[in-house]
Amino acid sequence: MKKLSDPVIFPNGASIKNRFVQPPMLTNSGNQGEVTADTIQYYGARSDSAGMVTVEYAYVSENGGPAMTWAPDHSQLAIFDDRFVPQLKKLAEAIKSHGNKAIIEIAHDGRQASGLADMGKSVYAPSEIDYSFLPYPVKELNDEQIKAIIKDFGKATKRAIDAGFDGVLIHGANHYLLQQFFSTISNKRDDHWGGSLEKRMNFPLAVVAEVLRVVKESAPNDFIVGYRFSPEEIHDTIGYTWHESTQLIKALTDQFAIDYIDLSLPQYDQKPIDSNQTFAEIFKPFIGNAKLGIVGNIRTASDAQDALKYADLLSVGRGSIADPNFARKVLEGHGDRIVDTITKDNMAAAHLTAGLQTIFADAGHDLIPHWPKKRSSLWN
């Protein structure tokens, strides 16, 4: 029987000491893309929050971010230049101080790079589409630009290696560029990079191939590579459903030695409308030897125990924001001591970044946990 305290051994031989993962979550702590002392303090406080701690998405190309954030300075982290490596190294060291693995999520924001628009720069996507929900235009990437971005994912991986991270998580979820190429909503191309289902797979497959090429060339044998994806894209129109995304995941795991597949969900046991199985159960047969990770509203010890039925790795997001010691308390049998809200009194213990403090102090923001007071009443 699986236990939350089980070590997990990945296909490449790397291991983590328990099944908990801290997923990538925006901290609004970067300074023009660079890791700050605020970033390091936040992640350092969570260095024992999970067997594997994932740093929020860092954009791999200069035209790949910053994305939409809740901070006016668009403080997403970046990894598109060597100048970011020294601070990233400090961040990796802070995360690894308790013997846990440090992973960094690498991404290109595509159409969601609102910071570029604010700076008067062009925002790029698979196709030039007038999105009603974006207050700026997007331009279509040409073939040369696409190939350059693929190379940028490889260069970002090399920087992650040089900074001492134990692995990278390729961000193919949540409407960022890899998902944009896979979606029929955002990809209207009729060349090598779009059209049929197989052609819409070409960009994510090429990114994974380049990342793994660099890993083979420059990383230790136990460097971990994961791929994160959203199982469906259903809004007013349908970009894809699990019927298509299972084929993408099968292609990835058939062609490449991926260590884990990370399923991005709002609820860990969520089911599609046309199946009695959870998404995790649906995708399990398609991932080969890779480990399966899930996320989504795992807020208590009993949630974690239940979620273990479906996956190898359990990502605790909001729970680890409110309580940096969530996993430790569960593993030591003290789940009843988990702090599940953020208040004025426990904010210091949660070691929130200034950007997160702003978010959770705003009663109008649709995020939980939060405290129902305006920021001015707490800090002035």
Side-chain angles (χ1 to χ4, degrees):
M1 181 179 293
K2 292 191 296 184
K3 295 185 293 186
L4 295 168
S5 58
D6 288 340
V8 177
I9 302 176
F10 294 96
N12 69 357
S15 64
I16 58 175
K17 60 187 182 181
N18 59 62
R19 295 186 181 275
F20 283 105
V21 175
Q22 180 176 312
M25 297 175 289
L26 182 68
T27 59
N28 276 1
S29 64
N31 179 15
Q32 297 183 349
E34 188 163 346
V35 166
T36 63
D38 210 13
T39 316
I40 295 169
Q41 181 188 44
Y42 172 87
Y43 282 101
R46 288 160 179 79
S47 60
D48 202 18
S49 66
M52 189 163 70
V53 177
T54 316
V55 173
E56 64 209 74
Y57 64 152
Y59 55 102
V60 302
S61 306
E62 195 164 6
N63 67 3
M68 299 175 181
T69 76
W70 299 285
D73 58 351
H74 297 278
S75 49
Q76 181 187 359
L77 301 182
I79 195 170
F80 66 81
D81 192 274
D82 289 346
R83 72 176 183 269
F84 299 114
V85 171
Q87 286 296 100
L88 286 168
K89 185 174 182 179
K90 293 178 183 178
L91 180 57
E93 289 172 348
I95 292 171
K96 295 163 69 168
S97 62
H98 282 89
N100 300 315
K101 298 294 186 185
I103 309 295
I104 186 166
E105 186 179 47
I106 52 176
H108 189 293
D109 301 336
R111 73 180 187 218
Q112 294 187 223
S114 62
L116 291 175
D118 288 350
M119 292 183 281
K121 298 181 180 180
S122 297
V123 177
Y124 291 96
S127 300
E128 187 169 321
I129 296 172
D130 182 12
Y131 292 104
S132 60
F133 53 85
L134 294 180
Y136 50 83
V138 298
K139 292 186 176 181
E140 181 171 299
L141 290 161
N142 62 39
D143 188 70
E144 182 179 355
Q145 290 172 314
I146 292 170
K147 290 176 180 176
I149 291 170
I150 293 167
K151 289 293 184 183
D152 286 343
F153 272 92
K155 293 173 185 177
T157 301
K158 179 61 165 61
R159 293 183 187 108
I161 295 167
D162 292 343
F165 282 91
D166 298 299
V168 294
L169 176 59
I170 301 167
H171 198 350
N174 303 347
H175 302 290
Y176 294 102
L177 187 64
L178 273 74
Q179 179 174 330
Q180 290 167 31
F181 267 96
F182 188 60
S183 168
T184 58
I185 293 174
S186 47
N187 187 345
K188 305 295 184 182
R189 306 176 73 98
D190 58 3
D191 59 1
H192 177 74
W193 307 108
S196 67
L197 172 62
E198 289 73 19
K199 288 186 176 181
R200 286 185 284 114
M201 293 183 188
N202 282 337
F203 181 72
L205 289 172
V207 167
V208 173
E210 177 64 9
V211 166
L212 289 173
R213 183 192 68 79
V214 171
V215 168
K216 183 177 180 180
E217 181 180 279
S218 303
N221 292 334
D222 61 354
F223 190 84
I224 299 166
V225 177
Y227 187 89
R228 191 178 197 212
F229 76 105
S230 299
E232 293 190 319
E233 184 181 313
I234 300 176
H235 302 291
D236 294 332
T237 54
I238 297 175
Y240 62 88
T241 69
W242 64 267
H243 298 279
E244 290 79 42
S245 58
T246 49
Q247 300 310 302
L248 171 62
I249 297 307
K250 185 177 188 300
L252 285 171
T253 55
D254 280 352
Q255 295 181 37
F256 306 112
I258 298 291
D259 293 300
Y260 70 108
I261 298 295
D262 193 33
L263 188 57
S264 181
L265 293 166
Q267 177 65 35
Y268 70 85
D269 57 357
Q270 183 180 359
K271 299 175 182 178
I273 60 172
D274 59 349
S275 176
N276 291 322
Q277 290 185 301
T278 66
F279 281 112
E281 291 170 322
I282 288 171
F283 279 89
K284 187 68 174 176
F286 293 93
I287 67 170
N289 294 324
K291 300 299 181 182
L292 179 63
I294 54 175
V295 68
N297 209 30
I298 300 173
R299 300 290 297 278
T300 66
S302 60
D303 289 341
Q305 193 62 52
D306 186 58
L308 192 55
K309 296 185 301 189
Y310 304 111
D312 306 297
L313 301 165
L314 308 181
S315 289
V316 178
R318 289 175 291 178
S320 64
I321 294 177
D323 192 337
N325 296 309
F326 181 100
R328 183 191 299 170
K329 289 177 180 178
V330 172
L331 294 170
E332 293 179 353
H334 301 308
D336 58 324
R337 301 180 187 175
I338 291 171
V339 178
D340 61 1
T341 57
I342 295 174
T343 67
K344 178 181 178 181
D345 294 332
N346 70 17
M347 179 197 65
H351 294 280
L352 299 186
T353 65
L356 287 177
Q357 291 173 19
T358 301
I359 293 169
F360 293 123
D362 182 359
H365 205 290
D366 186 23
L367 281 175
I368 299 172
H370 66 266
W371 53 71
K373 294 181 180 179
K374 293 297 182 181
R375 184 170 189 256
S376 60
S377 67
L378 297 175
W379 281 270
N380 289 348

